[in-house]
Amino acid sequence: MPTAAQVASLYRISYQLTYIMLQPIYLICVDNRTRNIYILAGYDEEIKFQILPNGDLSDEPN
């Protein structure tokens, strides 16, 4: 289950991707091992995000 901070970040990122950048979102899932949320977006699936349990974005390469 995502944390409240992750849900807030997910909403912000989803809004920016779909309404501002006009990019499709293909996948949103939670890694049960790390509890991170993964987002795969973009017409060529080239946009990737990883939201940590504290709501911050991971800066490690995917």
Side-chain angles (χ1 to χ4, degrees):
M1 187 62 113
T3 65
Q6 283 177 313
V7 172
S9 292
L10 177 61
Y11 178 81
R12 188 182 73 250
I13 292 168
S14 298
Y15 178 84
Q16 290 175 352
L17 283 169
T18 57
Y19 288 105
I20 296 172
M21 299 172 60
L22 303 174
Q23 296 291 320
I25 297 174
Y26 289 102
L27 176 70
I28 298 173
C29 65
V30 178
D31 184 342
N32 289 328
R33 296 171 297 133
T34 63
R35 309 304 301 161
N36 294 347
I37 294 178
Y38 293 93
I39 304 170
L40 181 61
Y43 287 105
D44 296 322
E45 300 178 9
E46 74 279 6
I47 303 171
K48 301 172 187 168
F49 290 99
Q50 189 175 159
I51 305 173
L52 303 174
N54 65 2
D56 291 340
L57 296 178
S58 173
D59 56 355
E60 82 178 40
N62 294 330

